[in-house]
Amino acid sequence: MSPAYVLKRILLIGYTLLVVSLIVFAITQVLPADAAVMMLGENATPDALAALRAKMGLNDPIWMQYLHWLSGVLRGDLGVSMRTGQPVAPAMLEALGRSLLLALFSITLMLAVAIPLGIVAAVRRGRAADLGVGFLSYVGVSLPEFVTATLIVLVLAEWLQWLPATGYVPLTEDPLRGLKHLVLPVLTVSLILIAHVSRMVRSELVDVLHSDYIRAARLKGLSKRQVLFKHALRNALLPTITIVALDVGYLLGGVIVVEEIFALPGIGRQLIVAIQARDLPSIQAGALIMATTYAIANFLADIAYAWLDRRIQYD
């Protein structure tokens, strides 16, 4: 991977985030909320509201407000929350860390289970193992998140009482209790991801095993294990990397239901609270942080492509 390509991708990420910032800022401007009223309350006097609007630059043209906000973002200042009166950046980044922790554990568990299941289903195509993996995958895809989460809570928390049903404990305070609180949300998200990825691995591996270069490898006398793991699996995993990169975006913004059920204070839940409270700086910061994380995840996926398949060269 050439330095020119890396620089080009970084510039493209910057351009993408600039467009996202424009869209996010434009959307928050049309929300039915007055920042001055949100901060001072509905009983504030007109003079106090006018003074705060002048201080915050709310009377300036929209383009000037955007440039002022963008300059703050570039300095790392994402504004002050209208709901709490505290800086937005530390709260959102802390919530992002919790969501990334959930994503890391969920993706790790998903890869550890989905890839072997996909391999077994592909190697034993049409047999009982393949049919069993396919059935479980369809069930996992068809069940909504809240149904999967509810079933897991009923079985592991209510009936067996092995794990706490809700709550969050930072791993830095108590690693054992923190891990116990993460098990149920991780299982919920992982089951959903496993259903998607195992089918993807199975489908791609079946196609690769019937390709010409795999037949040539077999004719050379290579063992089944060498053909499968050294040649077929590396190429079959390329589309899986795309799915994993897309799942990062899903895990950051699409597991709000899971975070709500298990009372996990991640960035998705923080964003919902901000929308309900019309907290414009928090909405802007949350959306921009999620877009940045998603863009970086896709960039890392491209790097993983080149690592798995040496034929892929980025110039």
mmCIF file of all heavy atoms in Angstrom, residues 38 48 295:
data_model
loop_
_atom_site.group_PDB
_atom_site.id
_atom_site.type_symbol
_atom_site.label_atom_id
_atom_site.label_comp_id
_atom_site.label_asym_id
_atom_site.label_seq_id
_atom_site.Cartn_x
_atom_site.Cartn_y
_atom_site.Cartn_z
ATOM 1 N N MET A 38 -33.804 26.308 25.562
ATOM 2 C CA MET A 38 -33.401 25.026 26.139
ATOM 3 C C MET A 38 -32.440 25.212 27.300
ATOM 4 O O MET A 38 -32.462 24.473 28.277
ATOM 5 C CB MET A 38 -32.751 24.156 25.061
ATOM 6 C CG MET A 38 -33.712 23.695 23.972
ATOM 7 S SD MET A 38 -35.023 22.612 24.570
ATOM 8 C CE MET A 38 -34.046 21.233 25.157
ATOM 9 N N ALA A 48 -32.929 38.197 28.876
ATOM 10 C CA ALA A 48 -31.938 37.138 29.127
ATOM 11 C C ALA A 48 -31.780 36.254 27.889
ATOM 12 O O ALA A 48 -30.661 35.860 27.531
ATOM 13 C CB ALA A 48 -32.364 36.307 30.336
ATOM 14 N N ALA A 295 -15.992 5.737 9.061
ATOM 15 C CA ALA A 295 -15.043 5.968 7.969
ATOM 16 C C ALA A 295 -13.703 5.286 8.261
ATOM 17 O O ALA A 295 -13.088 4.686 7.364
ATOM 18 C CB ALA A 295 -14.849 7.462 7.762
#
